[in-house]
Amino acid sequence: QVQLVESGGGLVQSGGSLRLSCTGSGGFLADYSIAWFRQAPGKEHEGVSCITSGGNIYYADSAKGRFTISRDNAKNTVYLQMNSLSPEDTGVYFCVSAPALRVGVWMSPFEYDYWGQGTQVTVSS
């Protein structure tokens, strides 16, 4: 079964950028819908962005205009480019996968079968 490993998190100042990577093993990410969720301290998991196996892309309102999700199938990797970061973006970011995603429910963490270990993103003011 597919395993997911996130990388690219770190500490940046407000207005800075990071690119997160989600690399798969034991399966091809092209066969899955892949989403990024984040969890701030004391809060529930929040859907940030999703790219489906059919190529559809979705963003949370808070991410639109600042974040970009993309795939590199040759590297079996999904990226999340994050620009204009603010302290509100701080949290642990998780890469998640689903073999079949229902329309309209990409923001629900219960739709995803596999989760990576998470990577910490901290944005200072």
Side-chain angles (χ1 to χ4, degrees):
Q1 308 195 51
V2 66
Q3 295 178 318
L4 308 172
V5 178
E6 304 97 330
S7 61
L11 173 64
V12 299
Q13 293 188 358
S14 182
S17 298
L18 286 172
R19 188 176 74 162
L20 306 183
S21 298
C22 173
T23 299
S25 63
F28 298 104
L29 296 192
D31 296 329
Y32 295 85
S33 294
I34 305 295
W36 289 94
F37 281 71
R38 67 188 180 191
Q39 186 174 37
K43 295 185 177 180
E44 300 296 322
H45 293 93
E46 175 191 19
V48 178
S49 185
C50 176
I51 183 166
T52 73
S53 58
N56 296 317
I57 292 176
Y58 306 96
Y59 296 101
D61 288 342
S62 61
K64 291 179 180 177
R66 300 188 300 129
F67 293 3
T68 302
I69 192 169
S70 62
R71 292 180 184 267
D72 186 339
N73 289 335
K75 297 181 178 180
N76 205 26
T77 297
V78 172
Y79 301 100
L80 183 68
Q81 178 69 45
M82 305 188 296
N83 299 326
S84 301
L85 287 164
S86 69
E88 290 73 27
D89 297 312
T90 292
V92 179
Y93 283 68
F94 297 91
C95 176
V96 300
S97 68
L101 190 67
R102 295 183 294 166
V103 175
V105 295
W106 76 266
M107 289 186 288
S108 172
F110 302 106
E111 297 296 314
Y112 301 91
D113 297 322
Y114 305 108
W115 291 63
Q117 84 287 353
T119 185
Q120 176 71 43
V121 172
T122 303
V123 185
S124 62
S125 60

PDB file of all heavy atoms in Angstrom, residues 1 4 19 29 34 59 70 91 95 101 111 113:
ATOM      1  N   GLN A   1       0.831  -1.168   0.000  1.00  0.00           N
ATOM      2  CA  GLN A   1       0.000   0.000   0.000  1.00  0.00           C
ATOM      3  C   GLN A   1       0.881   1.238   0.000  1.00  0.00           C
ATOM      4  O   GLN A   1       1.974   1.225   0.554  1.00  0.00           O
ATOM      5  CB  GLN A   1      -0.919  -0.019   1.214  1.00  0.00           C
ATOM      6  CG  GLN A   1      -1.689  -1.315   1.332  1.00  0.00           C
ATOM      7  CD  GLN A   1      -2.841  -1.224   2.288  1.00  0.00           C
ATOM      8  OE1 GLN A   1      -3.651  -0.316   2.182  1.00  0.00           O
ATOM      9  NE2 GLN A   1      -2.918  -2.193   3.182  1.00  0.00           N
ATOM     10  N   LEU A   4       3.484   7.622   2.187  1.00  0.00           N
ATOM     11  CA  LEU A   4       3.696   9.022   1.872  1.00  0.00           C
ATOM     12  C   LEU A   4       4.699   9.626   2.838  1.00  0.00           C
ATOM     13  O   LEU A   4       4.602   9.415   4.048  1.00  0.00           O
ATOM     14  CB  LEU A   4       2.376   9.792   1.962  1.00  0.00           C
ATOM     15  CG  LEU A   4       1.202   9.222   1.167  1.00  0.00           C
ATOM     16  CD1 LEU A   4      -0.083   9.962   1.514  1.00  0.00           C
ATOM     17  CD2 LEU A   4       1.477   9.311  -0.328  1.00  0.00           C
ATOM     18  N   ARG A  19       8.337  25.328  -0.209  1.00  0.00           N
ATOM     19  CA  ARG A  19       7.773  24.319  -1.092  1.00  0.00           C
ATOM     20  C   ARG A  19       7.810  22.978  -0.383  1.00  0.00           C
ATOM     21  O   ARG A  19       8.886  22.456  -0.069  1.00  0.00           O
ATOM     22  CB  ARG A  19       8.519  24.223  -2.418  1.00  0.00           C
ATOM     23  CG  ARG A  19       7.803  23.289  -3.410  1.00  0.00           C
ATOM     24  CD  ARG A  19       8.454  23.230  -4.766  1.00  0.00           C
ATOM     25  NE  ARG A  19       9.688  22.453  -4.759  1.00  0.00           N
ATOM     26  CZ  ARG A  19      10.267  21.968  -5.851  1.00  0.00           C
ATOM     27  NH1 ARG A  19       9.723  22.201  -7.051  1.00  0.00           N
ATOM     28  NH2 ARG A  19      11.394  21.282  -5.755  1.00  0.00           N
ATOM     29  N   LEU A  29       1.567   7.725  -7.204  1.00  0.00           N
ATOM     30  CA  LEU A  29       0.683   8.799  -6.767  1.00  0.00           C
ATOM     31  C   LEU A  29      -0.251   9.257  -7.874  1.00  0.00           C
ATOM     32  O   LEU A  29      -1.297   9.839  -7.589  1.00  0.00           O
ATOM     33  CB  LEU A  29       1.496   9.976  -6.235  1.00  0.00           C
ATOM     34  CG  LEU A  29       2.337   9.710  -4.986  1.00  0.00           C
ATOM     35  CD1 LEU A  29       2.839  11.034  -4.410  1.00  0.00           C
ATOM     36  CD2 LEU A  29       1.556   8.935  -3.950  1.00  0.00           C
ATOM     37  N   ILE A  34      -4.534  13.368  -4.237  1.00  0.00           N
ATOM     38  CA  ILE A  34      -3.602  13.756  -3.183  1.00  0.00           C
ATOM     39  C   ILE A  34      -4.016  15.111  -2.640  1.00  0.00           C
ATOM     40  O   ILE A  34      -4.268  16.046  -3.409  1.00  0.00           O
ATOM     41  CB  ILE A  34      -2.157  13.811  -3.701  1.00  0.00           C
ATOM     42  CG1 ILE A  34      -1.755  12.475  -4.346  1.00  0.00           C
ATOM     43  CG2 ILE A  34      -1.200  14.169  -2.569  1.00  0.00           C
ATOM     44  CD1 ILE A  34      -1.713  11.312  -3.378  1.00  0.00           C
ATOM     45  N   TYR A  59      -8.621  24.443  -3.856  1.00  0.00           N
ATOM     46  CA  TYR A  59      -7.921  25.174  -2.810  1.00  0.00           C
ATOM     47  C   TYR A  59      -8.916  25.658  -1.767  1.00  0.00           C
ATOM     48  O   TYR A  59     -10.046  26.034  -2.093  1.00  0.00           O
ATOM     49  CB  TYR A  59      -7.192  26.394  -3.362  1.00  0.00           C
ATOM     50  CG  TYR A  59      -6.081  26.092  -4.330  1.00  0.00           C
ATOM     51  CD1 TYR A  59      -6.270  26.222  -5.698  1.00  0.00           C
ATOM     52  CD2 TYR A  59      -4.833  25.688  -3.872  1.00  0.00           C
ATOM     53  CE1 TYR A  59      -5.250  25.945  -6.589  1.00  0.00           C
ATOM     54  CE2 TYR A  59      -3.806  25.414  -4.755  1.00  0.00           C
ATOM     55  CZ  TYR A  59      -4.018  25.539  -6.115  1.00  0.00           C
ATOM     56  OH  TYR A  59      -2.995  25.268  -6.998  1.00  0.00           O
ATOM     57  N   SER A  70       0.866  20.807  -7.382  1.00  0.00           N
ATOM     58  CA  SER A  70       1.270  20.265  -8.670  1.00  0.00           C
ATOM     59  C   SER A  70       1.824  18.859  -8.496  1.00  0.00           C
ATOM     60  O   SER A  70       2.128  18.426  -7.379  1.00  0.00           O
ATOM     61  CB  SER A  70       2.314  21.165  -9.340  1.00  0.00           C
ATOM     62  OG  SER A  70       3.489  21.239  -8.558  1.00  0.00           O
ATOM     63  N   GLY A  91       1.572  25.372  11.271  1.00  0.00           N
ATOM     64  CA  GLY A  91       0.971  24.106  11.638  1.00  0.00           C
ATOM     65  C   GLY A  91       1.770  22.945  11.098  1.00  0.00           C
ATOM     66  O   GLY A  91       2.779  23.125  10.414  1.00  0.00           O
ATOM     67  N   CYS A  95       0.451  15.185   4.027  1.00  0.00           N
ATOM     68  CA  CYS A  95       0.068  14.711   2.708  1.00  0.00           C
ATOM     69  C   CYS A  95      -0.825  13.493   2.876  1.00  0.00           C
ATOM     70  O   CYS A  95      -0.503  12.593   3.662  1.00  0.00           O
ATOM     71  CB  CYS A  95       1.323  14.360   1.904  1.00  0.00           C
ATOM     72  SG  CYS A  95       1.009  13.649   0.276  1.00  0.00           S
ATOM     73  N   LEU A 101     -12.051   9.622  -4.823  1.00  0.00           N
ATOM     74  CA  LEU A 101     -12.529  10.761  -4.047  1.00  0.00           C
ATOM     75  C   LEU A 101     -13.900  11.183  -4.546  1.00  0.00           C
ATOM     76  O   LEU A 101     -14.088  11.427  -5.739  1.00  0.00           O
ATOM     77  CB  LEU A 101     -11.547  11.921  -4.151  1.00  0.00           C
ATOM     78  CG  LEU A 101     -11.777  13.111  -3.225  1.00  0.00           C
ATOM     79  CD1 LEU A 101     -11.554  12.704  -1.779  1.00  0.00           C
ATOM     80  CD2 LEU A 101     -10.857  14.255  -3.617  1.00  0.00           C
ATOM     81  N   GLU A 111     -12.097  11.172   4.124  1.00  0.00           N
ATOM     82  CA  GLU A 111     -12.101  10.660   2.764  1.00  0.00           C
ATOM     83  C   GLU A 111     -10.771  10.022   2.372  1.00  0.00           C
ATOM     84  O   GLU A 111     -10.699   9.368   1.332  1.00  0.00           O
ATOM     85  CB  GLU A 111     -12.417  11.782   1.777  1.00  0.00           C
ATOM     86  CG  GLU A 111     -13.797  12.395   1.964  1.00  0.00           C
ATOM     87  CD  GLU A 111     -14.899  11.398   1.691  1.00  0.00           C
ATOM     88  OE1 GLU A 111     -14.823  10.677   0.674  1.00  0.00           O
ATOM     89  OE2 GLU A 111     -15.846  11.330   2.512  1.00  0.00           O
ATOM     90  N   ASP A 113      -7.310   7.610   2.920  1.00  0.00           N
ATOM     91  CA  ASP A 113      -6.912   6.352   3.541  1.00  0.00           C
ATOM     92  C   ASP A 113      -5.502   6.381   4.120  1.00  0.00           C
ATOM     93  O   ASP A 113      -5.234   5.706   5.122  1.00  0.00           O
ATOM     94  CB  ASP A 113      -6.995   5.212   2.517  1.00  0.00           C
ATOM     95  CG  ASP A 113      -8.403   4.979   2.014  1.00  0.00           C
ATOM     96  OD1 ASP A 113      -9.353   5.083   2.819  1.00  0.00           O
ATOM     97  OD2 ASP A 113      -8.563   4.672   0.822  1.00  0.00           O
TER      98      ASP A 113
END
